[in-house]
mmCIF file of all heavy atoms in Angstrom:
data_model
loop_
_atom_site.group_PDB
_atom_site.id
_atom_site.type_symbol
_atom_site.label_atom_id
_atom_site.label_comp_id
_atom_site.label_asym_id
_atom_site.label_seq_id
_atom_site.Cartn_x
_atom_site.Cartn_y
_atom_site.Cartn_z
ATOM 1 N N PHE G 1 -2.764 16.376 -10.725
ATOM 2 C CA PHE G 1 -2.950 15.242 -9.817
ATOM 3 C C PHE G 1 -1.688 14.927 -8.986
ATOM 4 O O PHE G 1 -1.538 13.803 -8.505
ATOM 5 C CB PHE G 1 -3.377 14.002 -10.592
ATOM 6 C CG PHE G 1 -4.847 13.945 -10.869
ATOM 7 C CD1 PHE G 1 -5.355 14.424 -12.085
ATOM 8 C CD2 PHE G 1 -5.753 13.414 -9.961
ATOM 9 C CE1 PHE G 1 -6.707 14.367 -12.365
ATOM 10 C CE2 PHE G 1 -7.087 13.341 -10.227
ATOM 11 C CZ PHE G 1 -7.596 13.837 -11.409
ATOM 12 N N SER G 2 -0.779 15.861 -8.856
ATOM 13 C CA SER G 2 0.450 15.549 -8.154
ATOM 14 C C SER G 2 0.264 15.125 -6.711
ATOM 15 O O SER G 2 0.915 14.202 -6.224
ATOM 16 C CB SER G 2 1.436 16.757 -8.210
ATOM 17 O OG SER G 2 0.890 17.874 -7.537
ATOM 18 N N LEU G 3 -0.671 15.799 -6.029
ATOM 19 C CA LEU G 3 -0.890 15.411 -4.607
ATOM 20 C C LEU G 3 -1.662 14.100 -4.494
ATOM 21 O O LEU G 3 -1.302 13.227 -3.720
ATOM 22 C CB LEU G 3 -1.647 16.534 -3.892
ATOM 23 C CG LEU G 3 -0.878 17.841 -3.652
ATOM 24 C CD1 LEU G 3 -1.675 18.769 -2.767
ATOM 25 C CD2 LEU G 3 0.492 17.575 -3.076
ATOM 26 N N TYR G 4 -2.754 13.985 -5.270
ATOM 27 C CA TYR G 4 -3.546 12.751 -5.190
ATOM 28 C C TYR G 4 -2.702 11.544 -5.649
ATOM 29 O O TYR G 4 -2.675 10.521 -4.972
ATOM 30 C CB TYR G 4 -4.795 12.890 -6.055
ATOM 31 C CG TYR G 4 -5.695 11.664 -6.044
ATOM 32 C CD1 TYR G 4 -6.425 11.366 -4.910
ATOM 33 C CD2 TYR G 4 -5.743 10.818 -7.137
ATOM 34 C CE1 TYR G 4 -7.244 10.217 -4.886
ATOM 35 C CE2 TYR G 4 -6.554 9.681 -7.126
ATOM 36 C CZ TYR G 4 -7.293 9.410 -5.993
ATOM 37 O OH TYR G 4 -8.101 8.271 -5.968
ATOM 38 N N GLY G 5 -2.048 11.701 -6.782
ATOM 39 C CA GLY G 5 -1.246 10.588 -7.313
ATOM 40 C C GLY G 5 -0.118 10.175 -6.382
ATOM 41 O O GLY G 5 0.117 8.994 -6.159
ATOM 42 N N SER G 6 0.566 11.167 -5.836
ATOM 43 C CA SER G 6 1.693 10.814 -4.930
ATOM 44 C C SER G 6 1.188 10.259 -3.594
ATOM 45 O O SER G 6 1.862 9.400 -2.988
ATOM 46 C CB SER G 6 2.573 12.065 -4.667
ATOM 47 O OG SER G 6 1.839 13.095 -4.106
ATOM 48 N N SER G 7 0.000 10.660 -3.157
ATOM 49 C CA SER G 7 -0.546 10.095 -1.921
ATOM 50 C C SER G 7 -0.918 8.631 -2.125
ATOM 51 O O SER G 7 -0.766 7.797 -1.218
ATOM 52 C CB SER G 7 -1.755 10.899 -1.427
ATOM 53 O OG SER G 7 -2.873 10.721 -2.266
ATOM 54 N N LYS G 8 -1.394 8.304 -3.292
ATOM 55 C CA LYS G 8 -1.750 6.884 -3.586
ATOM 56 C C LYS G 8 -0.451 6.071 -3.814
ATOM 57 O O LYS G 8 -0.426 4.893 -3.452
ATOM 58 C CB LYS G 8 -2.645 6.789 -4.832
ATOM 59 C CG LYS G 8 -4.059 7.354 -4.604
ATOM 60 C CD LYS G 8 -4.787 6.520 -3.559
ATOM 61 C CE LYS G 8 -6.256 6.909 -3.473
ATOM 62 N NZ LYS G 8 -7.028 6.089 -2.471
ATOM 63 N N ALA G 9 0.566 6.700 -4.375
ATOM 64 C CA ALA G 9 1.849 6.020 -4.479
ATOM 65 C C ALA G 9 2.406 5.740 -3.091
ATOM 66 O O ALA G 9 3.018 4.683 -2.839
ATOM 67 C CB ALA G 9 2.841 6.875 -5.302
ATOM 68 N N ALA G 10 2.228 6.666 -2.191
ATOM 69 C CA ALA G 10 2.634 6.469 -0.783
ATOM 70 C C ALA G 10 1.868 5.309 -0.164
ATOM 71 O O ALA G 10 2.462 4.479 0.555
ATOM 72 C CB ALA G 10 2.434 7.747 0.027
ATOM 73 N N LEU G 11 0.564 5.240 -0.427
ATOM 74 C CA LEU G 11 -0.222 4.144 0.081
ATOM 75 C C LEU G 11 0.309 2.796 -0.429
ATOM 76 O O LEU G 11 0.425 1.853 0.359
ATOM 77 C CB LEU G 11 -1.678 4.326 -0.331
ATOM 78 C CG LEU G 11 -2.667 3.220 0.053
ATOM 79 C CD1 LEU G 11 -2.725 3.047 1.566
ATOM 80 C CD2 LEU G 11 -4.041 3.497 -0.518
ATOM 81 N N ASP G 12 0.648 2.719 -1.711
ATOM 82 C CA ASP G 12 1.173 1.475 -2.250
ATOM 83 C C ASP G 12 2.526 1.138 -1.616
ATOM 84 O O ASP G 12 2.857 -0.054 -1.401
ATOM 85 C CB ASP G 12 1.285 1.562 -3.760
ATOM 86 C CG ASP G 12 -0.046 1.587 -4.468
ATOM 87 O OD1 ASP G 12 -1.039 1.142 -3.833
ATOM 88 O OD2 ASP G 12 -0.122 2.042 -5.618
ATOM 89 N N GLY G 13 3.310 2.163 -1.336
ATOM 90 C CA GLY G 13 4.594 1.934 -0.621
ATOM 91 C C GLY G 13 4.354 1.396 0.773
ATOM 92 O O GLY G 13 5.115 0.515 1.227
ATOM 93 N N ILE G 14 3.392 1.913 1.452
ATOM 94 C CA ILE G 14 3.030 1.373 2.761
ATOM 95 C C ILE G 14 2.655 -0.079 2.688
ATOM 96 O O ILE G 14 3.062 -0.898 3.512
ATOM 97 C CB ILE G 14 1.880 2.209 3.367
ATOM 98 C CG1 ILE G 14 2.385 3.609 3.755
ATOM 99 C CG2 ILE G 14 1.263 1.516 4.602
ATOM 100 C CD1 ILE G 14 1.267 4.587 4.095
ATOM 101 N N VAL G 15 1.839 -0.427 1.682
ATOM 102 C CA VAL G 15 1.409 -1.803 1.484
ATOM 103 C C VAL G 15 2.618 -2.721 1.326
ATOM 104 O O VAL G 15 2.709 -3.780 1.958
ATOM 105 C CB VAL G 15 0.470 -1.918 0.248
ATOM 106 C CG1 VAL G 15 0.282 -3.356 -0.168
ATOM 107 C CG2 VAL G 15 -0.871 -1.283 0.562
ATOM 108 N N ARG G 16 3.528 -2.355 0.446
ATOM 109 C CA ARG G 16 4.682 -3.229 0.161
ATOM 110 C C ARG G 16 5.540 -3.421 1.411
ATOM 111 O O ARG G 16 6.000 -4.551 1.745
ATOM 112 C CB ARG G 16 5.509 -2.665 -0.963
ATOM 113 C CG ARG G 16 4.857 -2.775 -2.332
ATOM 114 C CD ARG G 16 5.824 -2.393 -3.430
ATOM 115 N NE ARG G 16 6.129 -0.970 -3.425
ATOM 116 C CZ ARG G 16 5.461 -0.035 -4.102
ATOM 117 N NH1 ARG G 16 4.419 -0.393 -4.821
ATOM 118 N NH2 ARG G 16 5.810 1.213 -4.067
ATOM 119 N N ASN G 17 5.792 -2.339 2.130
ATOM 120 C CA ASN G 17 6.688 -2.437 3.281
ATOM 121 C C ASN G 17 6.055 -3.131 4.451
ATOM 122 O O ASN G 17 6.689 -3.963 5.142
ATOM 123 C CB ASN G 17 7.175 -1.063 3.659
ATOM 124 C CG ASN G 17 8.206 -0.509 2.656
ATOM 125 O OD1 ASN G 17 9.393 -0.835 2.772
ATOM 126 N ND2 ASN G 17 7.778 0.291 1.730
ATOM 127 N N LEU G 18 4.792 -2.833 4.744
ATOM 128 C CA LEU G 18 4.145 -3.530 5.866
ATOM 129 C C LEU G 18 3.863 -4.970 5.543
ATOM 130 O O LEU G 18 3.822 -5.824 6.442
ATOM 131 C CB LEU G 18 2.823 -2.803 6.205
ATOM 132 C CG LEU G 18 2.942 -1.427 6.848
ATOM 133 C CD1 LEU G 18 1.571 -0.913 7.261
ATOM 134 C CD2 LEU G 18 3.863 -1.432 8.077
ATOM 135 N N ALA G 19 3.671 -5.318 4.263
ATOM 136 C CA ALA G 19 3.485 -6.708 3.900
ATOM 137 C C ALA G 19 4.696 -7.550 4.298
ATOM 138 O O ALA G 19 4.565 -8.668 4.761
ATOM 139 C CB ALA G 19 3.253 -6.824 2.405
ATOM 140 N N VAL G 20 5.891 -6.958 4.150
ATOM 141 C CA VAL G 20 7.104 -7.650 4.553
ATOM 142 C C VAL G 20 7.228 -7.679 6.079
ATOM 143 O O VAL G 20 7.528 -8.724 6.688
ATOM 144 C CB VAL G 20 8.341 -6.955 3.925
ATOM 145 C CG1 VAL G 20 9.625 -7.594 4.454
ATOM 146 C CG2 VAL G 20 8.315 -7.045 2.413
ATOM 147 N N GLU G 21 6.982 -6.538 6.693
ATOM 148 C CA GLU G 21 7.153 -6.433 8.150
ATOM 149 C C GLU G 21 6.197 -7.317 8.922
ATOM 150 O O GLU G 21 6.549 -7.888 9.951
ATOM 151 C CB GLU G 21 6.965 -4.970 8.557
ATOM 152 C CG GLU G 21 7.170 -4.734 10.054
ATOM 153 C CD GLU G 21 7.135 -3.275 10.427
ATOM 154 O OE1 GLU G 21 7.273 -2.395 9.525
ATOM 155 O OE2 GLU G 21 6.920 -2.980 11.619
ATOM 156 N N LEU G 22 4.963 -7.475 8.427
ATOM 157 C CA LEU G 22 3.934 -8.194 9.162
ATOM 158 C C LEU G 22 3.771 -9.652 8.766
ATOM 159 O O LEU G 22 2.974 -10.381 9.385
ATOM 160 C CB LEU G 22 2.611 -7.434 9.040
ATOM 161 C CG LEU G 22 2.575 -5.998 9.563
ATOM 162 C CD1 LEU G 22 1.227 -5.368 9.307
ATOM 163 C CD2 LEU G 22 2.906 -5.961 11.051
ATOM 164 N N ALA G 23 4.464 -10.061 7.709
ATOM 165 C CA ALA G 23 4.358 -11.461 7.260
ATOM 166 C C ALA G 23 5.011 -12.373 8.341
ATOM 167 O O ALA G 23 5.972 -11.978 8.990
ATOM 168 C CB ALA G 23 5.054 -11.654 5.936
ATOM 169 N N PRO G 24 4.535 -13.612 8.497
ATOM 170 C CA PRO G 24 3.432 -14.228 7.770
ATOM 171 C C PRO G 24 2.062 -14.078 8.460
ATOM 172 O O PRO G 24 1.065 -14.597 8.010
ATOM 173 C CB PRO G 24 3.809 -15.694 7.765
ATOM 174 C CG PRO G 24 4.485 -15.871 9.126
ATOM 175 C CD PRO G 24 5.241 -14.585 9.348
ATOM 176 N N ARG G 25 2.009 -13.258 9.543
ATOM 177 C CA ARG G 25 0.791 -13.168 10.324
ATOM 178 C C ARG G 25 -0.300 -12.386 9.568
ATOM 179 O O ARG G 25 -1.467 -12.764 9.641
ATOM 180 C CB ARG G 25 1.144 -12.462 11.632
ATOM 181 C CG ARG G 25 -0.082 -12.198 12.552
ATOM 182 C CD ARG G 25 0.371 -11.420 13.771
ATOM 183 N NE ARG G 25 -0.776 -10.791 14.426
ATOM 184 C CZ ARG G 25 -0.683 -9.739 15.263
ATOM 185 N NH1 ARG G 25 0.511 -9.206 15.510
ATOM 186 N NH2 ARG G 25 -1.751 -9.230 15.816
ATOM 187 N N VAL G 26 0.069 -11.330 8.856
ATOM 188 C CA VAL G 26 -0.903 -10.462 8.200
ATOM 189 C C VAL G 26 -0.516 -10.276 6.730
ATOM 190 O O VAL G 26 0.660 -10.126 6.397
ATOM 191 C CB VAL G 26 -0.927 -9.072 8.876
ATOM 192 C CG1 VAL G 26 -1.902 -8.132 8.177
ATOM 193 C CG2 VAL G 26 -1.306 -9.201 10.353
ATOM 194 N N ARG G 27 -1.530 -10.313 5.878
ATOM 195 C CA ARG G 27 -1.329 -10.019 4.444
ATOM 196 C C ARG G 27 -1.958 -8.679 4.091
ATOM 197 O O ARG G 27 -3.038 -8.373 4.564
ATOM 198 C CB ARG G 27 -1.972 -11.102 3.569
ATOM 199 C CG ARG G 27 -1.368 -12.475 3.738
ATOM 200 C CD ARG G 27 -1.989 -13.526 2.803
ATOM 201 N NE ARG G 27 -3.449 -13.621 2.998
ATOM 202 C CZ ARG G 27 -4.346 -13.063 2.196
ATOM 203 N NH1 ARG G 27 -3.976 -12.358 1.095
ATOM 204 N NH2 ARG G 27 -5.660 -13.191 2.418
ATOM 205 N N ILE G 28 -1.223 -7.878 3.301
ATOM 206 C CA ILE G 28 -1.732 -6.556 2.879
ATOM 207 C C ILE G 28 -1.497 -6.406 1.356
ATOM 208 O O ILE G 28 -0.372 -6.606 0.884
ATOM 209 C CB ILE G 28 -1.017 -5.428 3.649
ATOM 210 C CG1 ILE G 28 -1.131 -5.636 5.149
ATOM 211 C CG2 ILE G 28 -1.623 -4.090 3.251
ATOM 212 C CD1 ILE G 28 -0.421 -4.580 5.964
ATOM 213 N N ASN G 29 -2.548 -6.049 0.655
ATOM 214 C CA ASN G 29 -2.456 -5.810 -0.766
ATOM 215 C C ASN G 29 -3.240 -4.561 -1.129
ATOM 216 O O ASN G 29 -4.036 -4.068 -0.336
ATOM 217 C CB ASN G 29 -3.030 -7.031 -1.531
ATOM 218 C CG ASN G 29 -2.212 -8.278 -1.339
ATOM 219 O OD1 ASN G 29 -1.147 -8.449 -1.922
ATOM 220 N ND2 ASN G 29 -2.715 -9.177 -0.498
ATOM 221 N N SER G 30 -3.023 -4.061 -2.335
ATOM 222 C CA SER G 30 -3.816 -2.938 -2.791
ATOM 223 C C SER G 30 -4.389 -3.207 -4.166
ATOM 224 O O SER G 30 -3.802 -3.936 -4.972
ATOM 225 C CB SER G 30 -2.986 -1.629 -2.829
ATOM 226 O OG SER G 30 -1.840 -1.755 -3.600
ATOM 227 N N VAL G 31 -5.540 -2.622 -4.426
ATOM 228 C CA VAL G 31 -6.222 -2.686 -5.717
ATOM 229 C C VAL G 31 -6.171 -1.310 -6.304
ATOM 230 O O VAL G 31 -6.511 -0.325 -5.640
ATOM 231 C CB VAL G 31 -7.680 -3.199 -5.535
ATOM 232 C CG1 VAL G 31 -8.501 -2.984 -6.818
ATOM 233 C CG2 VAL G 31 -7.704 -4.653 -5.137
ATOM 234 N N LEU G 32 -5.806 -1.228 -7.568
ATOM 235 C CA LEU G 32 -5.617 0.079 -8.243
ATOM 236 C C LEU G 32 -6.675 0.217 -9.366
ATOM 237 O O LEU G 32 -6.479 -0.226 -10.482
ATOM 238 C CB LEU G 32 -4.234 0.147 -8.846
ATOM 239 C CG LEU G 32 -3.026 0.440 -7.921
ATOM 240 C CD1 LEU G 32 -2.903 -0.584 -6.821
ATOM 241 C CD2 LEU G 32 -1.752 0.509 -8.739
ATOM 242 N N PRO G 33 -7.805 0.843 -9.024
ATOM 243 C CA PRO G 33 -8.839 1.046 -10.034
ATOM 244 C C PRO G 33 -8.469 2.174 -11.038
ATOM 245 O O PRO G 33 -7.666 3.050 -10.704
ATOM 246 C CB PRO G 33 -10.072 1.470 -9.215
ATOM 247 C CG PRO G 33 -9.678 1.291 -7.771
ATOM 248 C CD PRO G 33 -8.210 1.367 -7.723
ATOM 249 N N GLY G 34 -9.114 2.081 -12.160
ATOM 250 C CA GLY G 34 -9.027 3.169 -13.138
ATOM 251 C C GLY G 34 -10.214 4.108 -12.986
ATOM 252 O O GLY G 34 -10.780 4.214 -11.902
#
């Protein structure tokens, strides 16, 4: 799962960074299902 797992880790990184960049106008979060 190295590609799938790292791509989802990248997605979470995008969420964290854009959440800071776009605040307070836009909120971005992620849900991590099992």
Side-chain angles (χ1 to χ4, degrees):
F1 276 94
S2 64
L3 292 188
Y4 181 73
S6 59
S7 70
K8 290 298 189 178
L11 177 61
D12 290 339
I14 289 169
V15 166
R16 288 189 291 270
N17 286 278
L18 290 185
V20 174
E21 182 174 342
L22 300 177
R25 178 184 162 201
V26 177
R27 296 183 303 102
I28 305 178
N29 295 283
S30 56
V31 167
L32 284 56

